[in-house]
Amino acid sequence: MQFEKPKVHFTDDSLIYPTNPITLNLIGAGGTGSKVLTALMEVNHSLIELGHAGLQVRLWDDDVVTEANQGRQRFAECEVGLPKAVALINRANRWSGTNWKAEVRKFERDSLGRIQENMKSAIYMSCVDNVKSRFEIADILNELKEGRRLYRNQAKYWMDFGNNRYSGQVLLSTVENIKQPNSEKYQTVSHLPYVTEEFGELLLQSETEDDTPSCSLAEALEKQDLFINSALAQMGCSLLWNLFRNGLTENRGFFLNLKNFHSQPIKL
């Protein structure tokens, strides 16, 4: 009886054996993004302790901290009125001695439709709250892929976080096919599709008309459960950590429902 070999994706070698810190663009500094940044601080510190070059993170968000952000998002009262990206990056750099960067603007092309140099990175993590932004990110990554120029910050992976009130998902994608080693034990997978490719129609159907900011924490909690963002952030960054630590993955993401505490991995 012949058994089918399990499918795995091997992490790109440039992330496992880097000569410089891995560049990472984190897009969004709200409920999920603020928690992801904290997890990335832990990933970076742990990688360096293991002899790895670590991460160089750039956080993108054009919003400012409001009183409604306290509690569900990772902001303090003294940070109300500050740009979210600046508040979070300053805190991260003070804690870990890093030189991570804040961009107080949206992750989008400039007025002439060009992609700026600081938008290039090896890893992209999106924590945005609208479908339009996801498709814009996909369009930017496709242009970077089509350029096919060799540069240090060549795009490799995109991890997207999304949620509604009680449930959410994280999906890992490859920007280009990642060269896989020959394996007798595994069936290797070089391409992981974008969330916009595989779930594009569902994303468009899920888009709500009311995307106005909440004026209070109580109002915000009517839209999203208190812990859905932090649960997604921890599990998603665990997937990223395993790419570095184990060098391969059998899963490219997961669905999570906090109402019934059910988690479903998304296999390759």
Side-chain angles (χ1 to χ4, degrees), residues 115-260:
I115 298 173
Q116 300 300 301
E117 192 67 27
N118 59 5
M119 297 171 70
K120 298 175 181 178
S121 66
I123 301 173
Y124 296 79
M125 300 178 79
S126 54
C127 307
V128 296
D129 56 7
N130 64 82
V131 174
K132 181 175 179 288
S133 295
R134 288 185 174 89
F135 280 94
E136 289 176 348
I137 293 168
D139 183 62
I140 289 170
L141 294 182
N142 282 334
E143 181 173 330
L144 291 174
K145 176 173 61 177
E146 290 168 3
R148 294 190 178 279
R149 293 183 300 137
L150 293 177
Y151 50 88
R152 185 172 72 86
N153 296 335
Q154 193 156 9
K156 301 292 184 181
Y157 294 99
W158 174 22
M159 183 180 290
D160 179 71
F161 295 72
N163 69 281
N164 53 33
R165 185 173 182 183
Y166 292 110
S167 62
Q169 72 287 325
V170 174
L171 193 70
L172 176 70
S173 309
T174 56
V175 179
E176 289 190 335
N177 289 350
I178 303 296
K179 185 178 179 181
Q180 301 289 287
N182 296 325
S183 175
E184 295 183 359
K185 183 178 180 180
Y186 299 111
Q187 179 182 348
T188 58
V189 179
S190 61
H191 172 69
L192 311 178
Y194 289 173
V195 62
T196 50
E197 295 172 353
E198 191 166 14
F199 300 107
E201 291 188 8
L202 289 175
L203 286 174
L204 292 172
Q205 291 173 11
S206 69
E207 184 76 294
T208 59
E209 294 181 2
D210 181 16
D211 59 353
T212 56
S214 302
C215 295
S216 68
L217 177 58
E219 183 181 344
L221 291 174
E222 288 298 316
K223 297 180 179 180
Q224 296 186 41
D225 185 66
L226 181 59
F227 289 108
I228 183 62
N229 302 106
S230 54
L232 289 171
Q234 290 291 309
M235 292 178 67
C237 287
S238 178
L239 174 59
L240 178 69
W241 169 249
N242 285 327
L243 284 177
F244 285 110
R245 193 73 177 101
N246 300 328
L248 57 82
T249 181
E250 296 181 23
N251 305 298
R252 57 193 181 94
F254 59 88
F255 295 105
L256 175 67
N257 188 322
L258 280 189
K259 200 164 189 177
N260 58 15

Side-chain angles (χ1 to χ4, degrees), residues 10-53:
F10 284 91
T11 311
D12 188 85
D13 281 348
S14 64
L15 272 63
I16 304 296
Y17 307 108
T19 54
N20 294 289
I22 302 297
T23 52
L24 190 155
N25 274 313
L26 175 58
I27 306 166
T32 303
S34 60
K35 309 291 177 61
V36 167
L37 186 74
T38 302
L40 290 177
M41 292 162 59
E42 298 170 0
V43 170
N44 176 65
H45 182 81
S46 300
L47 286 173
I48 292 173
E49 287 296 307
L50 292 170
H52 190 277

Side-chain angles (χ1 to χ4, degrees), residues 66-111:
T66 66
E67 290 184 1
N69 297 146
Q70 300 176 65
R72 195 175 61 82
Q73 301 182 22
R74 194 141 287 170
F75 297 107
E77 185 175 353
C78 62
E79 294 170 326
V80 172
L82 294 176
K84 288 183 176 181
V86 172
L88 290 170
I89 288 296
N90 282 345
R91 194 189 315 155
N93 287 339
R94 286 195 300 268
W95 184 83
S96 56
T98 49
N99 189 30
W100 292 359
K101 304 298 182 182
E103 296 286 346
V104 187
R105 58 194 180 101
K106 292 182 178 180
F107 184 85
E108 60 186 12
R109 300 170 188 272
D110 65 16
S111 58

